[in-house]
Amino acid sequence: MKIAVYPGSFDPITYGHLDVVSRAAAVFDRVAFAVLVNPHKSVPIFETDLRLTVIREAVAEFCPPDVAARIEVESFDGLTVDFCRRRKATFVVRGLRAVSDFESELQMAHTNRKLAPEVDTVFFMTALEHSYLSSSLVKEIAAFGGDVTQMVPPAVSRRLSGRGRSL
Ligand code: PNS
């Protein structure tokens, strides 16, 4: 069985992430979202448990049932490759939006391979219509009360609406 891990902060999940995971689920038997508990970036808009709930709802809303059945959602703390080993996953899935993503993704893929030679990274090119999206921009727009409904699934937008400057 081919198992892949899709690691990230997913704070919040966007339509770009859903596109990548759906396409990965067409290639692998199982794909496990691995939600990093403590992203060192900034204060998360959604705490870990809420991020897991939101992702599960978004997958149920967005993915056809046969695809959703192959997608799991978990959190992790520590190294991605250690999570892969625990899950018996031999692939890491990442999305590439533009050339600007490439350098850091290349570094991560090589580093992970050095740490765990049995784990390979597979990239999916984010669909063109989602290639401008990023969780941090969604967060900023939502903080100023902007409309993010075209960028994130309803599971996210209904929780953001009205929170405005409190984000
Ligand atoms: O959504 P992001 O922030 O681009 O995801 C980055 C993530 C979570 C994939 C990366 O930071 C990660 O793998 N963190 C876990 C710690 C780790 O394994 N570090 C070494 C990777 S080179």
Side-chain angles (χ1 to χ4, degrees):
M1 182 182 278
K2 284 190 166 46
I3 303 175
V5 160
Y6 182 24
S9 312
F10 305 111
D11 186 45
I13 188 169
T14 68
Y15 280 127
H17 298 128
L18 285 167
D19 165 58
V20 168
V21 80
S22 307
R23 286 158 55 207
V27 174
F28 299 104
D29 299 303
R30 299 218 155 272
V31 182
F33 268 104
V35 178
L36 184 63
V37 172
N38 286 319
H40 295 295
K41 288 179 173 173
S42 55
V43 180
I45 41 169
F46 295 149
E47 291 304 329
T48 309
D49 283 348
L50 185 52
R51 267 183 279 155
L52 297 179
T53 302
V54 165
I55 294 171
R56 288 190 184 111
E57 284 179 19
V59 166
E61 283 168 354
F62 180 85
C63 302
D66 58 317
V67 174
R70 287 200 295 283
I71 299 172
E72 293 160 8
V73 185
E74 288 176 53
S75 61
F76 80 108
D77 204 356
L79 291 177
T80 291
V81 292
D82 288 340
F83 180 81
C84 289
R85 283 174 170 152
R86 284 199 297 280
R87 294 294 282 98
K88 303 203 180 333
T90 47
F91 297 95
V92 166
V93 162
R94 294 284 288 170
L96 277 181
R97 291 167 297 189
V99 173
S100 51
D101 283 340
F102 183 77
E103 206 168 327
S104 58
E105 292 298 335
L106 180 76
Q107 188 181 30
M108 245 195 302
H110 282 315
T111 307
N112 283 335
R113 194 109 194 279
K114 189 60 84 179
L115 293 170
E118 76 280 15
V119 178
D120 217 337
T121 302
V122 175
F123 294 101
F124 288 82
M125 307 305 145
T126 308
L128 206 50
E129 66 267 34
H130 304 311
S131 59
Y132 69 98
L133 278 175
S134 80
S135 296
S136 39
L137 277 184
V138 165
K139 206 164 149 172
E140 184 173 309
I141 295 164
F144 289 112
D147 179 6
V148 293
T149 52
Q150 291 184 69
M151 304 169 195
V152 293
V156 174
S157 50
R158 64 174 167 259
R159 286 180 173 90
L160 289 176
S161 64
R163 282 178 59 179
R165 301 238 174 206
S166 69
L167 290 171

